[in-house]
Amino acid sequence: KVDVTALEKYNAAYELDKSAQATPEDKAASWRRLALDVPQYADMAGKRAAQWDAFAAQKKAAEAARLKRVAARDRDWEKLSPLLSLAVVPEADKANWSDKFLRAYYRSPGVRPGMAKVLVRHVPAGALHDALVKLALKATKDEETQAAPRSATEKAGIQWVRIPGGTFSMGASDQSNAQPHQVTVKSFQMAKTLVTNRQYKACVAAGACTAADDQGPAFDGDDQPVVGVDWNQAKAFSKWVGGRLPSEAEWEYAARSAGKDWKYPWGDETATCDNAVIAGCGYNATSPVCSKPKGNTKQGLCDMAGNVWEWVEDKYHDSYKGAPTDGSAWEDAGSFRVVRGGSWLFDAARARSAYRYSDDPGNRGDYLVFRPAR
């Protein structure tokens, strides 16, 4: 007699095992469930789970080692780069120091294009010099890309804040749609404030944005967040200032003050009227941006908890199963988009850094805004 149910469970674990989207942790958990649910497969499933556990541990250790090397490289570069710019330092010394730096870091973890642009001047002709030239050209192209929209950025008055990269535990164990998983985020920049009415009107005046829907005089202040904009309007403004919408992972990482194991930007203390614009504090509309400096992240981002929900790039999924682990946006299915951060209409629990919500991308409510990243 064939046990169809048992075979179906075995097949489900087998298919997940082959999936490129599933994490090693997901695969190990799937085999462990099979071992518990179907005793005749327990031995085989247990061994496969142990293999994935070992692989996950090796991957985690390798990533930790890589990040340690990156940190060491960046510390040494902070010491070296000022010396390479000094005219009084002999070229022989610059060449010697550059050679030592490259010997230490060129292969692992590698040098960034901006580093290559400086180092190439002190490296003799050869294969390494040619490789650095290619990297340096990439740095030049990146600079040109960032410089192109500079007038728009200046006109809008965007203040960009650098968010250092790192690995963090995204999500919260007490939220069914946000069970924790490890994500590595690259360094990026994010606008210090929610986009304001003044900033958005500059984009409309330039012909790059369509007008926001009028939400009434209570929302019209120049320094209040622009509301009445849908997801596509948020995308258009972000492009105009040389940016994009942040991914959901980037947003949460930034809201946790660069990935700290905190519930809110400032720590684990529940949001109050002192540090967030939330329901129960007497608000009948949005507040001017950065009105609650006690609630800022350690990097200086304002209103990452409360005031207005923020559009991000990702489509909404009801769990993180299969979500990217590299900090990129998740757009493979679904129609609704993710919004983050809570608002003046919602309580402190919704202002938690890990809290996820979704909305129709065409919605232009008085509780929706955004901030660009790049």
Side-chain angles (χ1 to χ4, degrees):
K1 184 180 177 180
V2 177
D3 188 338
V4 177
T5 301
L7 283 172
E8 286 176 342
K9 291 182 177 180
Y10 180 16
N11 188 72
Y14 175 76
E15 290 295 336
L16 187 68
D17 192 279
K18 295 191 299 179
S19 171
Q21 299 297 321
T23 66
E25 292 83 0
D26 289 339
K27 295 176 181 181
S30 175
W31 287 114
R32 279 195 290 271
R33 284 195 298 271
L34 179 66
L36 290 172
D37 294 345
V38 189
Q40 64 259 42
Y41 297 135
D43 184 58
M44 176 274 297
K47 290 179 180 177
R48 190 60 178 157
Q51 290 173 341
W52 280 117
D53 283 335
F55 179 78
Q58 291 171 359
K59 186 177 179 182
K60 186 175 181 180
E63 177 61 14
R66 187 190 71 82
L67 291 175
K68 187 176 181 180
R69 290 282 295 164
V70 168
R73 177 202 65 190
D74 291 349
R75 284 194 302 270
D76 284 351
W77 182 249
E78 287 180 1
K79 299 174 184 176
L80 175 60
S81 55
L83 295 173
L84 296 180
S85 67
L86 299 177
V88 295
V89 175
E91 177 55 36
D93 287 342
K94 293 180 180 180
N96 182 40
W97 296 335
S98 296
D99 179 65
K100 289 181 178 179
F101 183 85
L102 289 165
R103 285 177 183 273
Y105 301 116
Y106 181 71
R107 293 189 179 278
S108 174
V111 297
R112 293 197 296 262
M115 296 175 180
K117 191 173 181 179
V118 176
L119 291 166
V120 71
R121 305 167 192 161
H122 312 292
V123 174
L128 179 57
H129 183 275
D130 294 344
L132 289 173
V133 167
K134 291 180 180 179
L135 268 179
L137 288 172
K138 183 179 185 305
T140 301
K141 289 179 181 178
D142 290 345
E143 289 169 1
E144 290 173 350
T145 299
Q146 291 182 8
R150 183 174 298 162
S151 61
T153 299
E154 291 174 351
K155 195 169 184 179
I158 299 294
Q159 298 178 63
W160 296 104
V161 175
R162 181 180 179 275
I163 312 298
T167 299
F168 79 117
S169 179
M170 181 178 178
S173 59
D174 59 353
Q175 293 177 206
S176 61
N177 70 343
Q179 290 298 293
H181 66 299
Q182 293 292 111
V183 178
T184 298
V185 176
K186 296 179 181 178
S187 297
F188 64 103
Q189 292 181 318
M190 182 174 271
K192 178 179 180 178
T193 76
L194 302 167
V195 173
T196 66
N197 285 310
R198 179 189 288 110
Q199 291 171 333
Y200 192 80
K201 287 175 182 176
C203 184
V204 174
C209 294
T210 55
D213 282 4
D214 184 7
Q215 302 295 322
F219 298 89
D220 282 351
D222 283 347
D223 294 323
Q224 284 178 264
V226 61
V227 291
V229 291
D230 62 27
W231 183 84
N232 283 302
Q233 288 174 300
K235 288 268 288 184
F237 178 94
S238 298
K239 182 179 180 180
W240 181 63
V241 296
R244 54 180 172 76
L245 287 177
S247 70
E248 185 179 10
E250 287 176 330
W251 191 97
E252 183 173 326
Y253 181 80
R256 290 178 179 269
S257 287
K260 295 184 183 296
D261 187 20
W262 291 349
K263 292 181 180 179
Y264 295 91
W266 53 83
D268 289 329
E269 297 81 11
T270 301
T272 68
C273 302
D274 288 334
N275 50 28
V277 178
I278 51 177
C281 297
Y283 297 106
N284 296 312
T286 58
S287 290
V289 297
C290 297
S291 64
K292 301 290 183 179
K294 290 183 179 179
N296 289 4
T297 69
K298 293 298 183 183
Q299 289 70 43
L301 300 176
C302 305
D303 297 309
M304 294 297 281
N307 211 354
V308 198
W309 290 103
E310 300 182 38
W311 290 114
V312 297
E313 180 71 26
D314 304 53
K315 289 184 176 178
Y316 180 78
H317 301 73
D318 60 9
S319 80
Y320 283 141
K321 186 176 181 179
T325 59
D326 62 356
S328 60
W330 193 11
E331 299 196 78
D332 64 343
S335 56
F336 275 33
R337 295 284 174 173
V338 177
V339 292
R340 289 299 209 108
S343 85
W344 61 278
L345 278 169
F346 288 76
D347 62 13
R350 271 70 173 180
R352 282 179 57 181
S353 299
Y355 190 83
R356 310 176 68 224
Y357 201 56
S358 65
D359 217 317
D360 186 318
N363 196 347
R364 298 186 181 185
D366 60 10
Y367 55 89
L368 290 168
V369 76
F370 65 99
R371 76 179 76 212
R374 67 180 186 182

